[in-house]
Amino acid sequence: MLQQAKSRLQAGAELAVAEIPLKTFDFRRTATLLATTALVACATAPQVAGPIAPPPLAEGPAVPQQAAAAPVSQLVKQVAIPYDSFTLDNGLEVLVHEDHKAPVVAVSVWYNVGSKDEPKGKTGFAHLFEHLLFYGSDNVREPTMPFLESLGATDWNGSTWFDRTNYYQTVPKSALERTLFMESDRMGYLLPAIDQQRLDLQRGVVQNEKRQGDNQPGGLIEYELLAALFPEGHPYRHSTIGSMADLDSASLADVKSWFIDKYGPNNAVVALAGDITPAEARTLMRKYFGAIPRGPANVPAAADVPTLPAPKAIVMKDKVAAIQVQRHWAVPGLLSDDLEALDVGAAVLGGLSSSRLDRILVRDEKIAVSVNADMQPFHRVGMFQINATVKPGVDPALVERRLDEIVAQFLTEGPTQDEVTRAATVAMSGQIRSLEKVGDDGGKASTLAEGQLYADDPDLYRKQLQAYAALTPAQVRGAMRAWLSRPVVTIRLEPGERPPYEEAKGAKPAKGPDIKVPSVKRSMPPLGAPETLDFPAIERTVLANGIPITFARRSAAPLTHVVLSFDAGYAADTPDTRGLQNMVMALLDEGTERLTAQQIAEEKERLGASLATAGGIDRSTVTLSALTANLQPSLDLMTDVVQNAAFQPGEVERIRSQLLTGIQQAKTDPNGIAARALPTLLYGAAHPYGGTSAGDEETVKAFSREQLTVFRDRWLRPDNARLFIVSDRPLAELKPILEQALGNWRAPAAPRGQKSFPAIERPGSTRIVLINRPGSPQSVIYGGQVTPIDPKADNSAVNVGNDVLGGSTASRIYTDLRERKGWSYGAYSYPQLNLAAVPYLVNAPVQADRTGEALKALIGQFKDVTASKGVTPAELTQAVSSNVGALPGQFETGTAVLGALQTIELYGRPDNYYELLAGRYRSLTTAQVDAALRRAIDPGGFTFVVVGDAAKVRPQLAKLGLPVEEMQPR
C-alpha cells in the first residue's frame, strides 16, 4: 500500500514535469537496521567464483588533512528513544514514547504475520488482507484512507513484508481517540464489514499494484531470485506480492479465517510516540482495545538459512539500457550475531559512496556505470546482494571477473579500521536523523515496535548501534568469509524481450462456508479541540559577501540542515544545451582542487554528513545535513565542493557515461518515457521548461569542460545564491562558522545568468499521443495543460479543489479508477507550481485492457468538475478538514521546515504564511473553489501521453473519437 500523493500546492514544493534523478544519492543505509519496509524488488543485487589472485587495490593521492569528526562512541550516546511499556489483559503489548515538540501522536500497529506465514497456494494473501483492512470495519463503515485524511493525518500507510504487517499514521492530538477507535475496530470488529464485493475490488487493486511493479525494467527478477535462492517449501521462497493465480483463488472464507487466526491483540504490538503521556496511553488503550478478545497465538514460520548445493546462473532479458550483473546469497537475519558485521561488510564493499566496488569498477577502471551492495535482514534470514550495471560497450564478462576478484580479495583481507569506522558513522547518523520523526515507517514508534515484535526488546536498535560502534575489521572479515564463500546465485539481466506476461485469469475462487460474526456496536468518539500551528520563528541575516540567510531553529535532534540555493535549475539550460545544468550539478562533488571524488566520499562518511547536489526546474541546490557536532568540517567540505569543483576530464567522462545510461534507461521505463515526452508537448521545444533535466543524448555527448565551467561561473555564484538553515543551535552561534566557510566567496567576473520565458499558447482541443511499449501489462497515462495559475498568489481554493478532484484518496479520480473500478493502483492530479508557468498534471497507470475507458473517465471527471458537478459541501468539508488538520504535524522535522523556508522565499510569501492557511481554508466556499477550478482547468485542453502496448491500446483509443498521434520515445 502506497501513501497518497497529496497536492504540492500547499507546501509549494517545486516539482519537475519530467525529472530523471540527477544522481542516485541513496545515502545507502549502512544500518540496514530495522530495514523491513515496503514491498520492493530484492532484485538489484550480484557473486564470487572462488579465490582468484587479485591485483593490489589502487591508491589515490593522500588527503591533505582529515577533518576532525566526533567519535562513534559519542554519537551512540545521542541515540535514545525512552519508553514505557505495559500489556493489556488480552495480550496486546503497548509501548509509549513522549515527544512534545509538536501536537501530534504517531500510532504504529505491528502484527506478527507476513507472507512467510502463507500456506502453499495462498501467496500474496497477507498483502491482500492488508489492503482489505483499509476499507472499513463494523463501526467505521468507510475507507480508512479518506477517514485518516479528514483527521489531518500525516505519514499514514500500511505495508506487508515477509515477516510482518504494519499500519501507521501520525495524527493531531485532537484526533488521537478517533484514530485509536478506528485501529481497535479493525483489530477486533472487522468481519461484519467484509463481503464478496469488497474482496473482489481489492483483489483487482492488488493485481494492478503487481502489474505496476512487474512493468518496470527488471520488475520480474524477484520471482526468479527467490525461487533460486530458497528451496521448495522454504517460507521465503515466494514474493510478498504473490502470484496472479493465487490472488484469483482467494475466497471470502479464506479472508475471514485469516483474520480470526492472525489478527488477535495477543499477536500485535502498538507503539505510541509523540504528544502523549504513559498515563494517558494506559487509559486510552484500555478503553478502546481492552475488550477485544484474544485470538490464536501465531507462531511465525521457522526458517533456516539455506546453503545451495552448487552455484546457480540465470540469464534474463528485459527492457533495460545496460546489462546488469548480480550476485545473491542467503545469510542470517535480524537477530544474528553476524548482522552488523555483514551489514558493514556490504557497506564497505559496495554500499558506501566510497565503497571498494565503486572506487575500482566505477571511478578507477570505469567499466561499470554503477555498483551497489547491501544486506537486507529479515526476521529469520537475510539476503546479501551485489549489483553492477555494465558500462555500455564493455564486455560484461570483464565486469563479472573483476567483481569476483574484488570480493575474493575482500574475503581474504577484510576491511580496514577506517572503513569500518566510516560505515558505523553512517549507520549512526542515519539513526539520529530518523529520530526527528515520531511516526512514518522508520521513525520512533515503528523502531520501538519492530524491536518488540522481533526480539521482545524495544531497545534492539540501540544494542545494534552499540554493536556497530564496537565492530572490528576481524569480525567483519570472519562473517563475510563464513557466508559469502558459499555457492551463489548469479543473475545477468540483458537488453531484450521479456517472456509473455502471465495475466490474471479471473478464476472464481472456491466457495467455503461463510463465517458469521455478530455486530458489536460502538460509538465513535468526538474530536478534541483542534490544534493550531506554531511555525518556528524565522530569522534573517546576510553574510559579508551579500548571501542572504534565512534561519529557523529546531532542537528535536542534534542536526543542522543547510541548503545553498541558486536561481538556476534546468530552466537555465538553453534549448541546445538541455542537460547542462544536470551535468554540472552531478560533477560538483566528483572532485575539487583539493580532494578527489573518492576522498570527498570518504570525508562525508567520516563526518556522518549527507551532501547532495540537485537541480529542479527553477532552482539548483547543494544540500547538507550535518551532525551538529561535526558542523564546521562538514561546512568546509560543502564549501570546497561549491567553490572548487575541478571538472577533471576523467570524472567528466565518467559522469557523462552515467548520465547517458540514465537517459537510455528512461527510454525503456514507462514512466520515464512519458515524463520525457510531455514537457515539449506542453511548452514547446524552445521554452526553458520544454525539455527535461537530464537532456538528450546528443547534447550530453557534446558538452565540453569549458561549457561546464562557464555554466558554473554564470549561475552557481554568491550573488545568485541564498542560504537556508535549520539547526538545533542558535543563529548567533552559527553565523561565525558560516562567515568562515562562505563569507569570503566572491562572484566571478563573468556576467550572471538571466532567464527568458516566452508566452505559451494553450491548445484548444484534447491531444492524445501514443508511445508504443510492447508487452506492457499496464499503460501509463500522463497528461497536462498549462494553466493561468499565479504561483505567488493565494492558491488555497485551487489546492482544496484539487484535493476533491485528484489530489487525495478521497478524490474523484482516485475513487473512480481505484476504488470503484479497480483499474489502477492509484491515480492522481496536481498543479505544479513552477515560477514561470504552472501546469495541471494527471498521472494514471492503468491495466492495459482498460486504457481507453480510463482515459475517457479522466476526461469526464475534468468536464464534470468544471461544469454541472462542482464541489459539494461534503467534499469541501473533507478537503478543508484534511488540510487544516495536517498543518500542526507537517513541520515535525528540520527538513520539513527547511523546505518551507525555501517555499516562502521562492513564492514571495509572508513569514507567517503557514499560520495563515487554516483561516484561509476554513473561509472557503464551494462557489470559490468551483470558480478557481474553472479558471485553472480547460477540460478540452489537455495533452495526454499514453505509454503502453500499442497493439492493445490503439483500438481502445480509437473508440474515443479523438485524434491520436503516435511517436517514438524521446
Side-chain angles (χ1 to χ4, degrees):
M1 180 75 78
L2 297 179
Q3 189 172 355
Q4 79 277 26
K6 290 281 289 179
S7 162
R8 306 304 177 93
L9 249 183
Q10 176 173 300
E14 181 189 343
L15 297 176
V17 178
E19 195 74 48
I20 294 174
L22 179 67
K23 284 185 182 176
T24 306
F25 289 111
D26 56 1
F27 307 122
R28 302 161 192 154
R29 286 185 64 192
T30 317
T32 46
L33 187 66
L34 313 178
T36 48
T37 52
L39 179 65
V40 292
C42 32
T44 54
Q47 153 167 28
V48 165
I52 300 173
L57 290 175
E59 298 292 341
V63 178
Q65 183 177 359
Q66 289 190 358
V72 178
S73 58
Q74 178 182 328
L75 299 178
V76 171
K77 297 176 183 177
Q78 298 180 359
V79 183
I81 313 175
Y83 68 91
D84 286 82
S85 64
F86 57 91
T87 303
L88 300 185
D89 292 341
N90 57 14
L92 180 63
E93 296 174 309
V94 184
L95 306 166
V96 187
H97 166 71
E98 290 188 68
D99 182 341
H100 300 288
K101 68 175 179 291
V104 296
V105 181
V107 180
S108 190
V109 184
W110 286 59
Y111 290 92
N112 187 26
V113 60
S115 62
K116 80 170 184 292
D117 301 301
E118 296 164 346
K120 186 175 182 179
K122 302 296 182 186
T123 65
F125 204 79
H127 177 240
L128 174 61
F129 190 81
E130 175 235 312
H131 273 248
L132 284 165
L133 253 75
F134 275 94
Y135 288 91
S137 52
D138 194 11
N139 299 283
V140 186
R141 293 284 178 133
E142 62 179 294
T144 301
M145 295 176 287
F147 176 85
L148 287 169
E149 282 183 331
S150 70
L151 300 181
T154 55
D155 296 335
W156 60 260
N157 210 336
S159 66
T160 309
W161 207 203
F162 289 110
D163 305 304
R164 56 97 183 115
T165 303
N166 70 348
Y167 305 87
Y168 57 90
Q169 52 269 317
T170 303
V171 297
K173 179 69 177 287
S174 59
L176 176 60
E177 284 205 55
R178 191 163 282 192
T179 302
L180 293 176
F181 178 88
M182 178 274 295
E183 283 288 7
S184 64
D185 208 60
R186 61 180 176 180
M187 177 184 286
Y189 312 101
L190 177 79
L191 291 189
I194 297 293
D195 56 25
Q196 189 66 47
Q197 181 182 7
R198 189 164 302 182
L199 172 59
D200 290 343
L201 178 62
Q202 288 312 305
R203 187 199 327 270
V205 170
V206 169
Q207 288 177 330
N208 271 308
E209 180 181 357
K210 176 176 167 62
R211 290 185 189 101
Q212 189 166 310
D214 293 351
N215 199 30
Q216 303 304 306
L220 302 179
I221 292 180
E222 182 184 20
Y223 310 119
E224 294 285 343
L225 169 63
L226 294 176
L229 205 54
F230 299 104
E232 194 74 47
H234 196 281
Y236 290 84
R237 183 178 169 86
H238 66 272
S239 74
T240 301
I241 197 73
S243 75
M244 287 293 194
D246 287 356
L247 289 169
D248 276 340
S249 71
S251 70
L252 191 59
D254 291 332
V255 167
K256 292 186 176 182
S257 296
W258 187 268
F259 174 76
I260 292 169
D261 292 344
K262 309 297 186 184
Y263 270 72
N266 50 308
N267 198 40
V269 176
V270 176
L272 306 173
D275 191 13
I276 187 171
T277 66
E280 290 174 312
R282 287 177 184 273
T283 300
L284 292 174
M285 292 301 294
R286 286 169 179 158
K287 178 179 179 180
Y288 292 111
F289 290 83
I292 301 173
R294 282 177 176 264
N298 182 50
V299 179
D304 294 330
V305 181
T307 297
L308 298 176
K312 293 182 180 180
I314 299 170
V315 176
M316 299 180 67
K317 296 187 183 297
D318 207 338
K319 301 179 191 300
V320 293
I323 295 172
Q324 293 180 30
V325 294
Q326 306 183 5
R327 305 287 189 261
H328 302 266
W329 297 263
V331 296
L334 272 167
L335 305 184
S336 167
D337 290 340
D338 284 338
L339 169 69
E340 295 80 15
L342 287 170
D343 198 26
V344 166
V348 173
L349 193 57
L352 298 174
S353 298
S354 68
S355 73
R356 294 193 180 188
L357 289 168
D358 260 315
R359 175 165 66 87
I360 299 170
L361 299 183
V362 179
R363 290 195 175 104
D364 293 347
E365 298 179 7
K366 298 179 176 60
I367 59 175
V369 173
S370 64
V371 61
N372 64 74
D374 64 43
M375 192 288 207
Q376 294 190 56
F378 308 115
H379 191 191
R380 306 296 194 189
V381 302
M383 289 190 288
F384 194 107
Q385 48 207 21
I386 304 172
N387 181 30
T389 300
V390 178
K391 183 178 178 180
V394 172
D395 184 353
L398 170 63
V399 177
E400 291 190 294
R401 178 175 63 80
R402 291 294 292 123
L403 188 156
D404 293 342
E405 289 173 350
I406 296 162
V407 172
Q409 181 180 13
F410 189 79
L411 297 186
T412 300
E413 298 179 357
T416 67
Q417 182 60 59
D418 182 54
E419 287 174 321
V420 172
T421 300
R422 284 189 279 111
T425 302
V426 171
M428 212 72 59
S429 62
Q431 190 66 42
I432 290 172
R433 289 184 178 91
S434 75
L435 297 184
E436 286 198 280
K437 294 185 78 70
V438 294
D440 211 344
D441 217 12
K444 294 180 180 180
S446 60
T447 297
L448 293 174
E450 190 169 31
Q452 180 63 34
L453 190 78
Y454 291 140
D456 289 327
D457 184 3
D459 277 328
L460 175 64
Y461 74 96
R462 188 167 177 81
K463 292 173 182 175
Q464 288 175 327
L465 288 180
Q466 290 168 344
Y468 280 106
L471 205 59
T472 67
Q475 288 174 303
V476 174
R477 182 182 64 175
M480 294 285 283
R481 292 176 72 175
W483 295 104
L484 267 65
S485 60
R486 300 173 306 133
V488 67
V489 173
T490 297
I491 294 178
R492 183 186 288 191
L493 182 64
E494 301 176 343
E497 292 302 316
R498 58 163 64 177
Y501 189 71
E502 295 185 16
E503 259 295 355
K505 305 299 183 185
K508 292 184 178 180
K511 296 290 184 181
D514 194 11
I515 300 172
K516 300 294 185 181
V517 177
S519 178
V520 178
K521 294 307 172 188
R522 310 165 74 215
S523 298
M524 178 77 71
L527 290 171
E531 292 81 2
T532 56
L533 171 65
D534 181 17
F535 193 80
I538 297 176
E539 301 177 58
R540 288 185 172 80
T541 187
V542 179
L543 293 183
N545 60 356
I547 297 179
I549 297 175
T550 305
F551 172 86
R553 189 173 182 187
R554 291 301 299 265
S555 55
L559 297 167
T560 297
H561 306 287
V562 181
V563 167
L564 186 59
S565 177
F566 301 95
D567 183 2
Y570 70 79
D573 289 339
T574 60
D576 59 347
T577 62
R578 302 283 191 203
L580 181 58
Q581 181 259 180
N582 189 54
M583 190 167 180
V584 171
M585 298 306 293
L587 279 158
L588 285 186
D589 63 349
E590 295 294 343
T592 68
E593 296 168 8
R594 184 176 72 94
L595 299 172
T596 65
Q598 179 71 21
Q599 290 164 348
I600 290 172
E602 292 177 3
E603 200 79 342
K604 285 191 298 184
E605 294 154 5
R606 192 171 291 115
L607 297 169
S610 293
L611 181 63
T613 60
I617 196 164
D618 290 313
R619 293 290 184 268
S620 301
T621 57
V622 179
T623 303
L624 171 70
S625 178
L627 305 173
T628 301
N630 291 338
L631 178 58
Q632 176 125 24
S634 299
L635 271 174
D636 290 342
L637 182 62
M638 175 183 178
T639 300
D640 192 31
V641 162
V642 171
Q643 296 183 27
N644 303 313
F647 300 114
Q648 293 288 354
E651 301 304 320
V652 169
E653 294 313 310
R654 175 171 63 84
I655 295 300
R656 191 195 311 275
S657 177
Q658 291 177 345
L659 296 176
L660 289 171
T661 304
I663 293 171
Q664 292 159 4
Q665 188 60 51
K667 292 181 178 182
T668 70
D669 178 274
N671 296 298
I673 292 169
R676 288 184 60 80
L678 188 60
T680 304
L681 297 172
L682 288 184
Y683 303 109
H687 194 279
Y689 294 168
T692 67
S693 174
D696 302 313
E697 291 169 273
E698 295 73 20
T699 56
V700 173
K701 286 177 182 177
F703 292 145
S704 67
R705 184 178 183 278
E706 181 182 8
Q707 284 177 289
L708 299 169
T709 58
V710 167
F711 184 97
R712 189 263 312 271
D713 291 345
R714 292 189 67 209
W715 297 97
L716 310 183
R717 44 194 286 159
D719 56 348
N720 197 40
R722 286 180 172 270
L723 269 171
F724 301 90
I725 303 170
V726 176
S727 177
D728 64 321
R729 308 308 306 151
L731 179 58
E733 186 176 313
L734 299 180
K735 180 76 178 293
I737 303 174
L738 295 166
E739 286 284 9
Q740 179 180 329
L742 289 162
N744 294 321
W745 185 22
R746 296 290 177 256
R752 188 170 63 180
Q754 300 292 327
K755 303 173 191 173
S756 176
F757 295 95
I760 301 167
E761 185 175 346
R762 300 178 77 185
S765 60
T766 300
R767 184 180 184 186
I768 301 174
V769 178
L770 174 61
I771 301 177
N772 186 24
R773 188 175 184 270
S776 297
Q778 269 195 340
S779 299
V780 170
I781 300 173
Y782 190 34
Q785 64 176 251
V786 178
T787 73
I789 293 173
D790 178 358
K792 296 188 176 183
D794 175 9
N795 286 303
S796 52
V798 173
N799 188 51
V800 165
N802 178 64
D803 275 1
V804 171
L805 179 57
S808 72
T809 61
S811 72
R812 296 180 182 184
I813 290 173
Y814 184 96
T815 301
D816 184 40
L817 291 185
R818 172 172 162 140
E819 309 303 356
R820 291 199 189 101
K821 296 184 168 80
W823 295 346
S824 176
Y825 180 51
Y828 303 95
S829 64
Y830 53 96
Q832 178 178 289
L833 292 190
N834 306 329
L835 283 177
V838 176
Y840 193 88
L841 303 171
V842 59
N843 179 257
V846 298
Q847 62 192 69
D849 62 344
R850 298 292 187 175
T851 306
E853 293 171 280
L855 185 53
K856 181 180 179 180
L858 287 171
I859 294 171
Q861 293 288 357
F862 292 125
K863 288 180 178 177
D864 286 348
V865 81
T866 55
S868 60
K869 297 181 181 179
V871 174
T872 68
E875 288 174 325
L876 177 63
T877 298
Q878 164 87 13
V880 169
S881 296
S882 174
N883 282 283
V884 171
L887 282 169
Q890 272 191 334
F891 304 106
E892 182 189 0
T893 67
T895 52
V897 174
L898 191 70
L901 297 183
Q902 294 172 79
T903 293
I904 286 171
E905 182 275 328
L906 188 65
Y907 303 117
R909 293 170 176 168
D911 286 358
N912 64 344
Y913 169 75
Y914 292 101
E915 294 174 333
L916 298 173
L917 277 178
R920 291 179 178 177
Y921 285 131
R922 291 189 178 110
S923 69
L924 289 172
T925 66
T926 55
Q928 289 173 314
V929 175
D930 285 344
L933 287 177
R934 289 169 185 149
R935 283 193 302 269
I937 298 173
D938 174 7
F942 277 90
T943 296
F944 294 102
V945 175
V946 179
V947 181
D949 189 328
K952 296 177 182 177
V953 172
R954 191 184 296 111
Q956 300 176 51
L957 298 181
K959 295 178 182 179
L960 300 179
L962 295 168
V964 178
E965 309 165 37
E966 295 194 37
M967 62 178 284
Q968 296 298 314
R970 293 183 182 275

